[in-house]
Amino acid sequence: MAIDKWEMVIGCEIHTQLLTKTKAFCACENKYGGMPNSRVCPVCLGLPGAMPRISKGYVELGAVAGLALNCDIARFTKFDRKHYFYPDLAKGYQITQYDIPLCTNGYVDLPFIHYPKDEQPGGEKCREKNFIGENCISDDKKYRRVRIERIHLEEDVGKSLHLPGEHSYIDYNRSGTPLIEIVTKPDMTSGDEAALFMQTIQEILRYVKVTAGNLEEGNMRCDANINLNVWEDGKLWHTPISEIKNLNSFKSIREACAYEAKRQLKEFQEDRQEFNPGFKVTMGWDEAKGETVVQRTKNSFVDYRFVVEPDIKPFSVSEELIDRAHGKVGELPEAKRTRLKKDYGLSDFDVETLTSTRELSLWFEEAAKGAKDVKKVANWILAELLAVLNEKNISIAEVSITPKHITELVNAIADKKITSAQGKTVFAKMLESGKMPAAIIKEEGMESVSDTGAIEAIVDKVIAANPKAVADFKGGKTNVVGWLTGQVMKESHGKANPKVASELMTKKLAAM
């Protein structure tokens, strides 16, 4: 028996902590870190008799996430209990949503610009992977679509802390933290694609201020469900599904999926295990060893003994809440990138960087208003301002200047009041003092001289002082024009308009 070809089939479950002020069902502060077990109460510890209640803003933030990911929002929903037994699950069950989730039938479009060329529409690998299929590619053939089956609300569990050679401890500060779980259809076919999907989810949900999305803090993590389609002697086989738990970096998603695919292929070749819809193996990812390890097996959803949460009544989701959620979504990153390219003629690189956060994109657009050269506005932000933010490790909201500072600076250069070189000096002084460019230019006496008569006098003086350079020009060395123009700029202390100075110098030398 010979394997003709095989492909990965990947679906993701992304768990994301929400930016509510309190935990999901109690008044404890929703915050990362701190002294272990310092932000707990009878509700999030699951003590007998404690009664949960839905925290303000929890459902609305879930709806914002759903709308940002193109989902339908349920007008009626409920919470359920999902039973399983881990030390970090204090109650022995998790409050979640089972059969009536808040959000359903969504999707995310991954731009093909992020794919290798052979995986773009019409590419060889694209055809091999059957990307051109139902719900796979957008009508304009620019995006790869990943369908979202559901997004449901649930609470997080505590965190186990293991000290090598000593004891294990449990910190329940995270217990009861509000989560959404985003469950996709099995539409992805590589670890790279799964990582890109999670990166896109992170970007969108950060944009709409649903989550901090910090993978290193564990407030966004991914479970990757993976199996293989294997064609052997013309017959199609499906391997059993493995669920790789708690992947918390894009690198680990890529590497874990790649390793697990090879492991499953080897297992298939050895004992022909086939897909069983009621069976799943839970795997962990050992990053140090670079391999997946078996943690447990699941036989069916019966193991979880889902029941309706008796302490929280089923509830209706009002149109007012959904309208507020719509208002919080606004323009999403990919739509904004498309518009900025169209409206301002910016490059892919420019718009990718300028839309990396919603705050930066809004800052740029405010600076672009009234600017005489929007491309120059983008250049000052990308080349100069972002360098300062990175150096000082601050956000755009913390910088000491406003968008109007950049607008005025760009216009001053466009109007030839100052040179580009002087602009960098003005920029530095703006950051230091917070003063507007016009005030700095006046204080420093920087405003360039464009008066032809004044500049001509300096040109005549420079020509008279440099007879050798003039002789070189007459001898055919035309590059001395630039050097002589530089002497004009030096003589004028940088105030002479360089374009006028160069034109006058060329004209004078040519006439000699």
Side-chain angles (χ1 to χ4, degrees):
M1 304 286 279
I3 292 177
D4 302 319
K5 64 177 181 176
W6 59 274
E7 69 176 2
M8 292 189 228
V9 180
I10 302 173
C12 287
E13 300 171 8
I14 295 179
H15 298 79
T16 299
Q17 292 181 3
L18 302 183
L19 290 173
T20 56
K21 291 183 179 180
T22 59
K23 291 184 180 181
F25 304 110
C26 66
C28 292
E29 185 182 13
N30 178 21
K31 182 181 178 183
Y32 175 76
M35 180 70 70
N37 299 309
S38 60
R39 295 192 302 278
V40 294
C41 72
V43 174
C44 55
L45 287 175
L47 299 183
M51 293 292 289
R53 61 180 183 181
I54 303 172
S55 293
K56 185 177 181 180
Y58 181 22
V59 177
E60 186 171 326
L61 272 187
V64 171
L67 293 170
L69 301 179
N70 303 293
C71 291
D72 300 324
I73 308 300
R75 267 51 179 183
F76 176 82
T77 188
K78 65 183 176 68
F79 284 100
D80 303 275
R81 289 185 180 182
K82 176 182 179 181
H83 295 80
Y84 57 95
F85 299 98
Y86 279 135
D88 54 15
L89 185 60
K91 299 188 288 283
Y93 63 85
Q94 178 187 34
I95 300 178
T96 182
Q97 293 188 301
Y98 176 40
D99 55 340
I100 311 180
L102 179 64
C103 314
T104 54
N105 300 322
Y107 63 87
V108 169
D109 286 337
L110 309 180
F112 269 106
I113 190 175
H114 295 300
Y115 284 74
K117 287 186 178 179
D118 59 357
E119 293 190 12
Q120 295 178 9
E124 183 179 349
K125 288 187 181 179
C126 185
R127 290 193 297 272
E128 284 179 4
K129 293 180 177 180
N130 194 27
F131 280 2
I132 311 290
E134 184 182 1
N135 294 317
C136 280
I137 290 188
S138 61
D139 292 339
D140 57 10
K141 301 294 188 290
K142 291 182 179 179
Y143 299 94
R144 172 85 161 89
R145 178 159 293 181
V146 176
R147 293 169 294 164
I148 293 173
E149 181 177 301
R150 58 187 279 151
I151 302 175
H152 58 263
L153 306 172
E154 63 184 24
E155 61 179 339
D156 210 343
V157 298
K159 183 177 181 180
S160 297
L161 308 172
H162 306 291
L163 301 182
E166 297 184 30
H167 303 284
S168 292
Y169 300 89
I170 300 175
D171 177 9
Y172 285 112
N173 278 345
R174 195 175 70 179
S175 179
T177 295
L179 293 178
I180 53 172
E181 181 175 343
I182 303 164
V183 182
T184 78
K185 296 284 190 180
D187 286 346
M188 289 161 277
T189 56
S190 71
D192 285 336
E193 194 167 54
L196 176 59
F197 172 75
M198 187 173 183
Q199 190 173 359
T200 304
I201 292 289
Q202 180 194 58
E203 179 186 55
I204 291 172
L205 296 188
R206 280 177 167 175
Y207 234 70
V208 297
K209 300 186 182 302
V210 162
T211 183
N214 293 324
L215 278 66
E216 63 276 10
E217 294 181 1
N219 57 39
M220 177 177 277
R221 50 197 189 271
C222 177
D223 300 340
N225 291 272
I226 174 172
N227 74 329
L228 306 180
N229 290 331
V230 182
W231 286 265
E232 186 179 53
D233 293 334
K235 181 180 178 180
L236 174 60
W237 301 74
H238 307 289
T239 62
I241 295 176
S242 295
E243 182 180 16
I244 313 172
K245 300 289 287 185
N246 294 325
L247 299 169
N248 63 356
S249 74
F250 306 131
K251 177 175 178 285
S252 65
I253 294 170
R254 286 191 293 267
E255 294 180 352
C257 289
Y259 178 88
E260 179 60 17
K262 292 178 181 178
R263 188 199 68 79
Q264 287 191 21
L265 185 63
K266 181 180 178 182
E267 184 179 72
F268 172 79
Q269 291 171 317
E270 291 174 351
D271 61 14
R272 291 293 188 279
Q273 286 198 30
E274 288 191 74
F275 171 76
N276 180 336
F279 179 81
K280 185 191 289 189
V281 180
T282 299
M283 311 290 287
W285 172 241
D286 189 327
E287 192 159 5
K289 293 182 179 179
E291 60 186 37
T292 55
V293 293
V294 176
Q295 293 181 331
R296 62 190 174 99
T297 60
K298 298 179 185 178
N299 288 318
S300 72
F301 279 105
V302 175
D303 290 351
Y304 289 131
R305 295 184 292 114
F306 281 103
V307 295
V308 176
E309 169 57 60
D311 293 334
I312 302 175
K313 292 181 179 180
F315 58 95
S316 296
V317 180
S318 69
E319 295 300 325
E320 290 79 9
L321 183 147
I322 294 173
D323 287 343
R324 287 198 305 273
H326 266 295
K328 291 179 180 179
V329 172
E331 188 178 35
L332 295 173
E334 186 59 26
K336 188 179 286 288
R337 283 190 276 268
T338 300
R339 182 176 59 80
L340 293 185
K341 283 191 284 188
K342 179 181 177 182
D343 290 355
Y344 300 121
L346 300 177
S347 69
D348 287 335
F349 173 80
D350 289 348
V351 297
E352 287 282 341
T353 308
L354 290 170
T355 58
S356 58
T357 68
R358 173 172 259 169
E359 290 76 17
L360 179 60
S361 67
L362 294 174
W363 208 96
F364 160 73
E365 291 210 76
E366 187 63 30
K369 292 178 183 177
K372 296 183 178 180
D373 190 333
V374 175
K375 177 63 178 174
K376 291 288 174 59
V377 169
N379 289 344
W380 275 98
I381 293 173
L382 294 170
E384 304 295 337
L385 187 58
L386 291 187
V388 172
L389 300 187
N390 290 334
E391 181 185 347
K392 296 184 177 182
N393 194 27
I394 59 175
S395 70
I396 190 69
E398 299 171 284
V399 76
S400 58
I401 61 174
T402 68
K404 289 183 179 179
H405 283 81
I406 296 295
T407 307
E408 193 171 296
L409 176 61
V410 167
N411 288 347
I413 296 171
D415 292 337
K416 297 183 172 52
K417 292 180 179 179
I418 57 173
T419 65
S420 294
Q422 289 175 313
K424 291 195 174 185
T425 302
V426 173
F427 179 78
K429 290 184 177 293
M430 278 168 26
L431 289 170
E432 182 183 341
S433 67
K435 293 180 180 179
M436 296 300 290
I440 295 169
I441 291 168
K442 184 176 181 180
E443 288 175 4
E444 300 293 325
M446 286 183 176
E447 191 162 353
S448 64
V449 176
S450 296
D451 177 64
T452 304
I455 297 175
E456 186 174 10
I458 300 173
V459 168
D460 290 338
K461 181 178 178 181
V462 168
I463 289 175
N466 294 280
K468 184 177 183 305
V470 173
D472 288 343
F473 176 82
K474 290 179 178 180
K477 295 182 180 180
T478 57
N479 60 331
V480 300
V481 174
W483 183 83
L484 287 168
T485 301
Q487 298 307 302
V488 174
M489 298 304 297
K490 185 177 179 181
E491 186 71 24
S492 68
H493 303 289
K495 294 182 181 180
N497 185 302
K499 183 180 179 182
V500 174
S502 179
E503 289 174 352
L504 284 172
M505 180 62 71
T506 303
K507 183 178 178 181
K508 290 271 186 179
L509 291 172
M512 295 179 73

